[in-house]
Amino acid sequence: MQELQQAGSDPAPLPPEHDRATPPDRRPTRVRALRAGLHTAVVLCLVTTLVHVVMVFLHVAPSNPVSKRYSPQVNGWVYPLFEQNWRLFAPDPDSFNRKVLARTAQTASDGSVRVSPWFDLAAADNAAVDHNAFPSHTAQNLLRRAWSSYAETHGGIDAARSERAVMMQKYLRNIAADRFAARHGGDTFDFIQLRVVTTPIAAPGTAAGSRPPEPTENRLLPWWKVTPHGK
């Protein structure tokens, strides 16, 4: 009986080490670091979204003391990727059809220059939009807005007279070079040139067999230097 009593009074054996519950305050450091990084990323996304909404609103809203005071910051954020061609509640659609043609030139090792035929960049965008229920923003507006911004900052000449004009020139050049290279199997070239033909939209009710409207502008831009890879 004494032996049984002594055996019953012994402490219960401890569970194996892996069966013990880990206290909440002893979670692995890596888990805490991942959660902290996730929280930081969420906060940064929210702050960036808020800043973007405020900047775009100041850009499209009527002129006011706040937009005038912070105009350099607003323009630096919006141009050229987030540019808007409308004012709040007042859209301004195009009333012209524009062909944006591009051709390239490459200098051979013997000094000769090979010039490519003209390629209609705008027609390629229009083909991507036609019969497409969900056309991309780049196909609809990227090239069109790049040209209108270039014409706005340069006027009737092709000499950049401001930092924004220089930026829009590079922006248009890069878009044209990327579009041309993508459509021609990544061909390399040293120069690119644009030609823009502007034609007014025919009036409603115009007969289909009538003579198409004459171009109002046929503008040939100078040759622009690009890298050998067309960038």
Side-chain angles (χ1 to χ4, degrees), residues 100-103 116-124 179-180 183-184:
V100 182
L101 310 171
R103 64 177 179 178
S116 70
W118 288 105
F119 175 72
D120 194 342
L121 302 176
R179 296 285 180 88
F180 193 96
R183 291 282 179 170
H184 293 79

Side-chain angles (χ1 to χ4, degrees), residues 35-136:
R35 290 188 177 183
L38 179 60
H39 293 164
T40 302
V42 171
V43 171
L44 289 177
C45 291
L46 292 176
V47 171
T48 303
T49 302
L50 179 61
V51 171
H52 178 73
V53 171
V54 172
M55 290 294 188
V56 173
F57 177 82
L58 292 176
H59 176 68
V60 302
S63 181
N64 58 80
V66 177
S67 62
K68 290 180 179 179
R69 179 176 180 180
Y70 296 101
S71 177
Q73 291 81 359
V74 172
N75 292 336
W77 181 276
V78 170
Y79 294 111
L81 298 180
F82 307 114
E83 182 183 6
Q84 310 291 322
N85 68 326
W86 53 277
R87 291 294 177 261
L88 202 58
F89 309 120
D92 183 21
D94 278 345
S95 57
F96 297 91
N97 290 323
R98 289 186 177 87
K99 292 183 178 181
V100 182
L101 310 171
R103 64 177 179 178
T104 61
Q106 183 179 13
T107 304
S109 57
D110 58 357
S112 61
V113 178
R114 180 174 60 87
V115 179
S116 70
W118 288 105
F119 175 72
D120 194 342
L121 302 176
D125 284 353
N126 294 337
V129 172
D130 289 344
H131 310 295
N132 189 342
F134 303 100
S136 68

Side-chain angles (χ1 to χ4, degrees), residues 9-31:
S9 62
D10 290 340
L14 295 175
E17 187 69 23
H18 63 274
D19 291 338
R20 300 179 186 178
T22 303
D25 57 346
R26 295 184 179 179
R27 290 176 297 181
T29 305
R30 184 169 59 181
V31 175

Side-chain angles (χ1 to χ4, degrees), residues 138-161:
T138 56
Q140 296 180 85
N141 300 316
L142 190 64
L143 180 63
R144 179 176 63 88
R145 290 300 303 141
W147 166 251
S148 61
S149 298
Y150 176 88
E152 178 185 346
T153 55
H154 287 74
I157 60 176
D158 295 306
R161 297 182 177 180

Side-chain angles (χ1 to χ4, degrees), residues 171-191:
Y171 185 54
L172 178 61
R173 180 197 65 194
N174 292 342
I175 292 175
D178 289 341
R179 296 285 180 88
F180 193 96
R183 291 282 179 170
H184 293 79
D187 291 346
T188 59
F189 46 90
D190 303 312
F191 300 90

